[in-house]
Amino acid sequence: MEHAISHPAFVRRRQDSSHSHAAVCRWDSSCIDDLDPADIAGTRFLVVSASQYHARTDRRLLIRLGAVDVSYESSGVRAARRVVSGKVDCVILDGSLSDMSGLEFVRLIRLHPRTALMPVILASMENDRSAVMEALASGISGYLIRPYSMVGLARQIGRILETPAREIEEGMGVSRAAFKEALARYKTAPAAAASQSAQAPDTIETLLAEVDELLRVNALDAAYEALNPLVRAKDALVRGEAHLRLADIYRRKANPAMRKDSLAQAGACFQDAGDLERAAECFAMLQELNPSEPSPDELTARNCLRNRDYRGAARIYARMLAVTEPDAVSRSISRACMFTADPVTNARLVCNELGVLRGEESEDIYKKIVGPPSRKVEELPEYEERARGVVAEVFAVARYTMRAYRGGSNPGVSHAPELLKIGA
């Protein structure tokens, strides 16, 4: 036998409370005609979830709807004790708690007469029919599939608020003794440890798994928001994983510029973390997007060469050699030296520093970059121009083109031999 008990939270108070909470509600009331902000403001909500990200999302949406009293618990045991004390009017429940599943929590509180009919809205990432039917059989009042919208949450709450809260009498398997017996099966953490666990952040693996699940269902905005704390993490490997997922989001949003930036940052983070294989994958994807565009490391090395910071440029090239083909790095050094005032000298200085860092002969590195090494003029003067290698030749052509451009006239064939001479 059951009888109705009217909870103050579920009594309409439009006459005396609507004006005081109008400023609190920040949602378009036209989307839900039957839901009054005053009803939301007078309801005591409890968010129960093992994920602080899910809890923050639920709490933020409730506050935007106009909720004032929103508390949080990660433990099903502590949450169950709280709801049976009469301090909660509605529960927003996640599918996973720190000490039990969401459905176990529902079955637990349904054993107590005071909470046997308490409104419980389950927000889960399970969207198959069998999971929904199992949740309904467990006694939930509403079901939301993450990521859900504020309109969907408002509809669930509006439907619940239409029905007054009820408490049933003991009997038919519902009793305080049955609730205590079931509650005793779960281990209760000490108060200090419980407080710390409530404040402890989610593990990186959990957060990344949630982001991957959001990406799987194409919830790009929710995934982007979940990645915000990860891109500021102290661990370079975590930042790399976050930027890599941001690149995937920008790919789906058709934003190539931001995708390139995220890939570059991901590669740099993986390099700092020592994961050279992942860094190489990021740089390979970046190169595929625009083969003609230099990588961020190349641009930094060029700036070092312009500032005559040969050791800094050598460090960058040594790092590139760990994740890039040697021939590609050699071409990069050649192109960078080409735009300096003295390509041959700068190439030799970089090779010297690179040889010290890698424990190799600088002459061997120089050969890979600019071809055969220079020879003394008194020994073989006819090989002097060839000894300067590809870098000097390209630089001479570039210098000739620049002079012709500054002269304002088309370069003639008769001037080419004079301008193309090395050292002219």
Side-chain angles (χ1 to χ4, degrees), residues 15 46 53 60 64 70 123 170 186 201-202 216 236 240-241 258 266 268 306 324 332 338 347 376 397 400 408:
Q15 293 81 5
L46 174 63
Y53 167 70
R60 185 180 66 254
R64 290 183 65 186
V70 182
E170 295 194 16
Y186 298 96
D202 294 329
R216 186 184 67 81
E241 295 286 355
M258 294 302 295
R306 293 191 187 101
T324 312
S332 176
M338 180 184 67
K376 294 182 180 180
V397 174
Y400 163 69

Side-chain angles (χ1 to χ4, degrees), residues 220-252:
L220 302 184
D221 292 337
Y224 179 86
E225 185 176 350
L227 287 170
N228 279 335
L230 295 180
V231 296
R232 298 187 296 270
K234 294 182 179 180
D235 190 348
L237 190 61
V238 175
R239 295 198 306 272
E241 295 286 355
H243 283 298
L244 194 58
R245 285 161 174 79
L246 281 178
D248 187 26
I249 293 176
Y250 290 127
R251 177 186 64 82
R252 301 187 190 191

Side-chain angles (χ1 to χ4, degrees), residues 207-220:
L207 290 175
L208 290 176
E210 291 175 357
V211 171
D212 291 338
E213 182 64 23
L214 292 172
L215 291 175
R216 186 184 67 81
V217 299
N218 209 36
L220 302 184

Side-chain angles (χ1 to χ4, degrees), residues 112-135:
H112 198 285
R114 178 174 288 174
T115 57
L117 298 176
M118 172 172 284
V120 177
I121 300 175
L122 178 64
S124 174
M125 303 183 80
E126 297 290 339
N127 58 0
D128 57 282
R129 180 179 177 83
S130 60
V132 176
M133 296 305 295
E134 182 183 3

Side-chain angles (χ1 to χ4, degrees), residues 61-291:
L61 291 179
L62 287 170
I63 292 176
R64 290 183 65 186
L65 285 174
V68 177
D69 188 350
V70 182
S71 53
Y72 163 66
E73 287 288 356
S74 62
S75 166
V77 173
R78 295 195 304 273
R81 289 173 176 169
R82 189 164 186 169
V83 295
V84 299
S85 66
K87 299 178 181 179
V88 177
D89 301 317
C90 182
V91 177
I92 308 297
L93 180 66
D94 197 11
S96 177
L97 311 182
S98 62
D99 49 6
M100 64 182 72
S101 68
L103 296 185
E104 286 178 313
F105 173 81
V106 176
R107 298 187 189 102
L108 176 62
I109 65 172
R110 292 306 185 219
L111 295 175
H112 198 285
R114 178 174 288 174
T115 57
L117 298 176
M118 172 172 284
V120 177
I121 300 175
L122 178 64
S124 174
M125 303 183 80
E126 297 290 339
N127 58 0
D128 57 282
R129 180 179 177 83
S130 60
V132 176
M133 296 305 295
E134 182 183 3
L136 292 174
S138 299
I140 64 168
S141 310
Y143 195 94
L144 290 170
I145 299 175
R146 296 186 186 274
Y148 58 85
S149 65
M150 188 167 62
V151 175
L153 177 62
R155 284 175 178 162
Q156 293 286 347
I157 296 176
R159 182 176 59 83
I160 289 172
L161 293 182
E162 290 296 328
T163 305
R166 294 175 295 174
E167 179 177 335
I168 63 175
E169 295 182 353
E170 295 194 16
M172 300 296 295
V174 177
S175 66
R176 289 171 173 80
F179 170 79
K180 291 181 179 179
E181 182 181 353
L183 187 65
R185 301 193 188 106
Y186 298 96
K187 294 182 179 180
T188 305
S195 176
Q196 293 176 2
S197 64
Q199 299 296 329
D202 294 329
T203 62
I204 299 301
E205 293 78 7
T206 302
L207 290 175
L208 290 176
E210 291 175 357
V211 171
D212 291 338
E213 182 64 23
L214 292 172
L215 291 175
R216 186 184 67 81
V217 299
N218 209 36
L220 302 184
D221 292 337
Y224 179 86
E225 185 176 350
L227 287 170
N228 279 335
L230 295 180
V231 296
R232 298 187 296 270
K234 294 182 179 180
D235 190 348
L237 190 61
V238 175
R239 295 198 306 272
E241 295 286 355
H243 283 298
L244 194 58
R245 285 161 174 79
L246 281 178
D248 187 26
I249 293 176
Y250 290 127
R251 177 186 64 82
R252 301 187 190 191
K253 288 191 172 185
N255 191 335
M258 294 302 295
R259 184 190 177 192
K260 293 176 186 176
D261 183 66
S262 295
L263 283 174
Q265 294 190 55
C269 290
F270 284 133
Q271 278 186 334
D272 294 340
D275 193 342
L276 302 182
E277 185 176 349
R278 299 294 302 280
E281 293 175 0
C282 294
F283 289 137
M285 288 189 288
L286 191 61
Q287 194 69 18
E288 290 177 2
L289 294 177
N290 195 346

Side-chain angles (χ1 to χ4, degrees), residues 267-341:
C269 290
F270 284 133
Q271 278 186 334
D272 294 340
D275 193 342
L276 302 182
E277 185 176 349
R278 299 294 302 280
E281 293 175 0
C282 294
F283 289 137
M285 288 189 288
L286 191 61
Q287 194 69 18
E288 290 177 2
L289 294 177
N290 195 346
S292 61
E293 184 176 338
S295 67
D297 278 345
E298 288 183 283
L299 295 176
T300 306
R302 288 181 184 181
N303 290 331
C304 291
L305 287 175
R306 293 191 187 101
N307 298 326
R308 299 183 179 180
D309 182 10
Y310 304 108
R311 181 166 297 181
R315 289 196 188 99
I316 295 174
Y317 289 128
R319 188 172 62 183
M320 291 175 60
L321 283 170
V323 297
T324 312
E325 291 294 332
D327 291 343
V329 178
S330 298
R331 289 193 297 269
S332 176
I333 298 176
S334 177
R335 288 193 298 265
C337 294
M338 180 184 67
F339 293 101
T340 60

